[in-house]
Amino acid sequence: MWRWLLLTCLLLAGLAPGALAQGVSQQTDYLAAELDDAQLTERLARATRLSDELTPLGAIRAGNGTDIPVWRGGLRMPPLGYLAIGQPHIDPFADETELLRLSADNLSDYRYFVTPGLQALLERYPGSAYLSVYPSHRTAAAPDTVYEQTYKNVIRTETSRDGSGFYYAWGGIPFPLPDNGQQVIWNHLASWRGEQLQARWREIQVSGEQQHVINWRVQEDYPYYFQRDRCLLPLAHCEPDRRNGRSKRKDLTLFQRQWSAVGQGLLRTTHQLELREGVEHSYRRQQGGWPDSWNTDLRSADDVSLFSGSPQQYHWMLLGKRELYIPYNNYRFEALADAVLLQPGHLASAALRFEKHRVWVVDGTLKKGATNPYSKRVYYVDEDSWQIALADFYGADGQLQRLGLALLKSFYELPAVLPAATVIHDLDTGSYSVTGLESGQAGMRRFDQAVEGITVDID
C-alpha cells in the first residue's frame, strides 16, 4: 500500500502547473503494480526531472548563457489585438531587428550551427540565399493536461517487445526522456498538435520560373489526445478476455489525416498502434495517394510535417543534442504575396526567421529489404516542441539529395509550436515545394471544430 501512496503523492507534487483530475492515480497505479520496487523508484526519480531541470515536455529548462534563453513557460496567451481562433496571427516579435545575416560569404564562421542541407542551399545560391538570424524565443507550450499526462507517461509507457511501438501512454509525449532515436521519432509523431484541425491551404511547387498550385482541403484528427475511453491499461472497466485472463487492448490511433484536392483525388492516412490481445506492433494505413500531377516526386505522404511515416522502415540512431539555427517564430512570410515570397530556387530569404535552439539529432538508415526513396534521413527535432525543424534526405547513392524545413511558429491559441508551412528543396534540380500556405481568410487553421468525415476504428 505504501507504494501506491508514494506514487500518488509524487505525481501530485511533481507535476507542471495545473492539478490532476479526480482519480488521477488510477491509470498509473495499475501499471506500477507490475513493477518491482527498484523499477518504480527509478521511474519516479526520472519523472521528477520534468519539474526540476527539465521542462514539462523534457527539454533542458536552462539557457546556454549567451543566445538561448531560459524556458519560462512559453507563449501561452495570444498577444493583445488577436481577435479570435481562426483569425490571422499577430507576430509578437515584429519589431525585432536582425542579429546576423548568414550567407555563403560568412558560412565558414558559423558552419557548426548550420545543417548540411542548409549549407548546400546557401552555397548553391550565393547571391540570393541567406539566413536571417533573430533573438531566440522559447515559445513552445502546451496545455496543463498535456504536461500532466507526459509526467505520467514517464512511469507507465512501455516499449513493445519488438521495439516497433509503445503502449500504456496517451495524452502526452510518450518518451519525454528518450533513450534512443526511435523514441525521439515517436515523440514527433505523437507530439501535441491539438485534438483536430480543419484548414484549406495551398501547396506550390516551384521549378525555375514555373509554378504549380494544388489547393488542399485538410481535415486531421488526433485521437491519441482525446480517446480516453480506450482500453490502453488493464483496468477494471476494460472488458476481460476470459481465455487468458487479460484485458483486451484496442487500437490506439495517433492521427488520421484526410487531404482532398478538387479534381485530383483524395489522400487518407491513418497512423495506428495495434495493441490487441497481445499483438504489439505499429502500422500505417493509407488510402489513395498524392495527385498524379506536375513534379509530385518532390514529396510523398511520408513528408507531411517532414516525417509522418512508419518508423519501422529505418534503423534510428540518436546522435545527441546540438545548438543550431532553425526556422522559428515564423509569422512574416504569411503576409507576403506569392510574387514576393516565391523566388527561383528558394523562398525569399528576408521573409524567413531563424533562431538558435537546441535540437535532438536523429540519423535514420533504411533497413535492408525496405523500400523508400531515401537511404538515409537525418532529422533535427526541436527539444521544446518535439517538432522536426530541419531534415536532410539522402538518395539511394548515399548523397545529400534534399533539404526539408518546417517553418515553425507558436499557435498560441492552442498553445503549441507547429509548422506554419513545410518546404522541401531538391538540391540537385533546384526545384522546391512549399505546403501549408493559407488560402486567404477561409484557409485559416481551425482547432476548435470537430472534424467531419473522419472515423476512428476501435475494432
Side-chain angles (χ1 to χ4, degrees):
M1 179 62 68
W2 70 267
R3 294 170 65 208
W4 320 136
L5 293 174
L6 172 63
L7 176 61
T8 303
C9 290
L10 285 174
L11 281 170
L12 291 170
L15 284 173
L20 289 176
Q22 184 178 6
V24 62
S25 62
Q26 183 183 24
Q27 293 194 351
T28 309
D29 290 352
Y30 196 99
L31 177 58
E34 299 178 355
L35 305 175
D36 60 34
D37 289 348
Q39 291 174 316
L40 177 60
T41 300
E42 188 272 336
R43 293 195 185 190
L44 287 169
R46 283 168 59 87
T48 57
R49 296 181 61 198
L50 299 182
S51 58
D52 187 10
E53 78 267 25
L54 302 180
T55 71
L57 297 186
I60 298 172
R61 191 179 294 263
N64 66 357
T66 53
D67 47 7
I68 296 179
V70 175
W71 184 82
R72 301 188 184 278
L75 186 56
R76 293 173 63 88
M77 295 291 291
L80 292 176
Y82 181 69
L83 299 178
I85 293 175
Q87 298 300 308
H89 283 131
I90 295 173
D91 184 353
F93 315 112
D95 295 333
E96 291 185 343
T97 58
E98 184 182 77
L99 295 178
L100 168 68
R101 180 166 295 190
L102 203 162
S103 67
D105 293 338
N106 59 354
L107 178 59
S108 59
D109 297 331
Y110 301 95
R111 191 175 295 273
Y112 180 77
F113 303 109
V114 183
T115 63
L118 279 176
Q119 292 179 31
L121 185 71
L122 294 176
E123 291 170 344
R124 181 182 175 94
Y125 301 100
S128 58
Y130 58 87
L131 309 184
S132 288
V133 179
Y134 287 82
S136 298
H137 298 278
R138 298 178 68 179
T139 49
D144 291 340
T145 53
V146 175
Y147 293 159
E148 292 162 4
Q149 297 306 324
T150 299
Y151 186 96
K152 291 193 286 186
N153 284 345
V154 177
I155 301 167
R156 66 191 178 195
T157 304
E158 296 286 348
T159 305
S160 60
R161 283 189 292 270
D162 62 3
S164 64
F166 62 90
Y167 51 102
Y168 299 123
W170 65 270
I173 302 302
F175 302 102
L177 308 172
D179 296 318
N180 56 62
Q182 183 155 289
Q183 290 181 358
V184 173
I185 296 301
W186 278 122
N187 287 348
H188 166 71
L189 291 172
S191 60
W192 165 245
R193 298 178 176 91
E195 295 184 355
Q196 63 246 331
L197 166 69
Q198 287 189 338
R200 287 182 174 88
W201 60 47
R202 295 173 299 147
E203 175 183 353
I204 303 181
Q205 302 164 357
V206 182
S207 181
E209 298 294 336
Q210 293 183 306
Q211 297 179 9
H212 180 77
V213 181
I214 301 175
N215 292 296
W216 289 105
R217 184 174 185 269
V218 176
Q219 300 181 75
E220 298 190 356
D221 185 34
Y222 310 108
Y224 175 78
Y225 280 92
F226 65 82
Q227 285 285 329
R228 298 175 176 85
D229 59 340
R230 295 176 180 275
C231 295
L232 301 181
L233 295 174
L235 301 175
H237 69 267
C238 290
E239 178 185 355
D241 186 344
R242 300 300 181 187
R243 292 173 298 174
N244 55 22
R246 295 181 299 177
S247 299
K248 291 183 179 179
R249 297 172 183 152
K250 298 185 178 181
D251 297 346
L252 167 62
T253 302
L254 294 181
F255 59 76
Q256 291 188 307
R257 175 173 288 127
Q258 180 172 297
W259 290 25
S260 58
V262 177
Q264 299 192 68
L266 176 68
L267 171 70
R268 288 193 181 98
T269 303
T270 297
H271 206 306
Q272 201 161 22
L273 294 175
E274 185 177 341
L275 309 172
R276 185 168 46 198
E277 297 184 6
V279 177
E280 301 168 3
H281 66 276
S282 68
Y283 68 93
R284 180 175 170 278
R285 183 175 64 234
Q286 178 175 329
Q287 296 174 287
W290 293 101
D292 184 17
S293 60
W294 186 87
N295 212 13
T296 52
D297 61 350
L298 270 174
R299 48 88 184 103
S300 69
D302 282 356
D303 299 330
V304 175
S305 297
L306 296 184
F307 186 68
S308 57
S310 171
Q312 295 171 271
Q313 282 195 307
Y314 288 83
H315 295 289
W316 301 100
M317 179 179 296
L318 183 59
L319 303 182
K321 281 189 180 180
R322 286 183 59 184
E323 296 179 3
L324 292 175
Y325 295 124
I326 64 175
Y328 222 89
N329 293 313
N330 275 278
Y331 298 88
R332 184 183 303 114
F333 79 94
E334 296 175 310
L336 297 181
D338 290 350
V340 177
L341 178 64
L342 304 172
Q343 301 296 310
H346 57 83
L347 297 181
S349 296
L352 305 185
R353 178 186 177 112
F354 285 78
E355 299 177 2
K356 185 183 284 187
H357 288 260
R358 282 185 292 252
V359 299
W360 292 96
V361 184
V362 181
D363 184 305
T365 303
L366 191 65
K367 291 181 179 179
K368 185 177 181 180
T371 302
N372 197 279
Y374 303 128
S375 63
K376 186 170 79 166
R377 300 168 181 253
V378 181
Y379 286 123
Y380 306 89
V381 184
D382 173 37
E383 69 162 350
D384 287 330
S385 66
W386 296 104
Q387 298 299 317
I388 295 174
L390 293 166
D392 291 333
F393 301 113
Y394 294 79
D397 59 359
Q399 299 299 308
L400 180 62
Q401 180 182 7
R402 288 180 180 153
L403 159 69
L405 301 91
L407 305 183
L408 300 178
K409 74 172 184 180
S410 172
F411 288 78
Y412 32 70
E413 65 270 37
L414 280 175
V417 163
L418 300 170
T422 55
V423 188
I424 295 182
H425 289 271
D426 190 309
L427 297 171
D428 294 330
T429 66
S431 301
Y432 67 94
S433 172
V434 53
T435 304
L437 297 173
E438 294 176 340
S439 301
Q441 189 70 21
M444 297 300 171
R445 293 166 171 84
R446 297 296 300 261
F447 301 97
D448 61 334
Q449 297 177 344
V451 179
E452 299 177 357
I454 293 182
T455 59
V456 180
D457 299 327
I458 53 173
D459 297 335

